[in-house]
Amino acid sequence: MATQVYIVYYSMYGHVARLAEEIQKGAASVPGVEAKLWQVPETLPDDVLVKMGAPPKSDFKAFLDATGGIWRTQELAGKPAGLFYSTGSQNGGQETTALTAVTQLAHHGMIFVPIGYTFGAGM
C-alpha cells in the first residue's frame, strides 16, 4: 500500500499552486509514495467576489476550523505536517503565516516538520 501525501494549498494568483505542483512531483518521485493535490475551496459566493472586484480566494482559517470532526477522532495525531507559502517581498507575512498554522497542526496532534530557511537566487 502506498504512503499517501496530501498537498493542501490555496493560491490566489497561481504562485502557490505552482509550488504545490512541484512539491507533488518531488513527493511522487519517491518509490511507494502517492502524492495528491487538494485546493482549499472558495468561501465567498461569486456575486460577492464580482462586487468586490476580487479574484476567487479562500479563508484557510475557515478550512482549518471546519476540521473539528477530524480533531475529535484524532485521525491526524502523530502524522507529520509541513508548511509552504509565498509572498512577493521580504517581511510579507511569511513568519506569521507559519506561526498561526503551526497551532492548528498542534491541536490535531500532528508533528510539525519544518522545511528550513535558505537563500535562493536573487535574494
Side-chain angles (χ1 to χ4, degrees):
M1 181 173 179
T3 298
Q4 293 185 352
V5 174
Y6 290 89
I7 297 109
V8 180
Y9 71 97
Y10 169 70
S11 185
M12 183 179 294
Y13 297 106
H15 300 92
V16 174
R18 184 75 180 115
L19 287 170
E21 290 165 2
E22 291 300 316
I23 291 167
Q24 180 187 32
K25 285 181 196 174
S29 73
V30 176
V33 171
E34 179 184 351
K36 298 179 180 181
L37 291 176
W38 193 81
Q39 186 169 1
V40 174
E42 175 58 63
T43 57
L44 293 174
D46 288 338
D47 60 325
V48 172
L49 292 170
V50 169
K51 289 176 184 175
M52 291 172 51
K57 58 175 126 326
S58 95
D59 183 346
F60 206 85
K61 177 83 166 66
F63 161 72
L64 290 171
D65 288 346
T67 62
I70 297 171
W71 169 80
R72 189 177 62 251
T73 62
Q74 294 293 289
E75 290 177 58
L76 299 176
K79 297 201 183 322
L83 302 168
F84 65 99
Y85 36 84
S86 176
T87 62
S89 65
Q90 290 180 331
N91 304 315
Q94 304 93 316
E95 296 83 4
T96 302
T97 299
L99 288 172
T100 53
V102 167
T103 60
Q104 298 292 326
L105 302 178
H107 284 222
H108 278 288
M110 300 182 85
I111 301 166
F112 174 58
V113 182
I115 60 172
Y117 179 82
T118 59
F119 284 63
M123 292 259 335

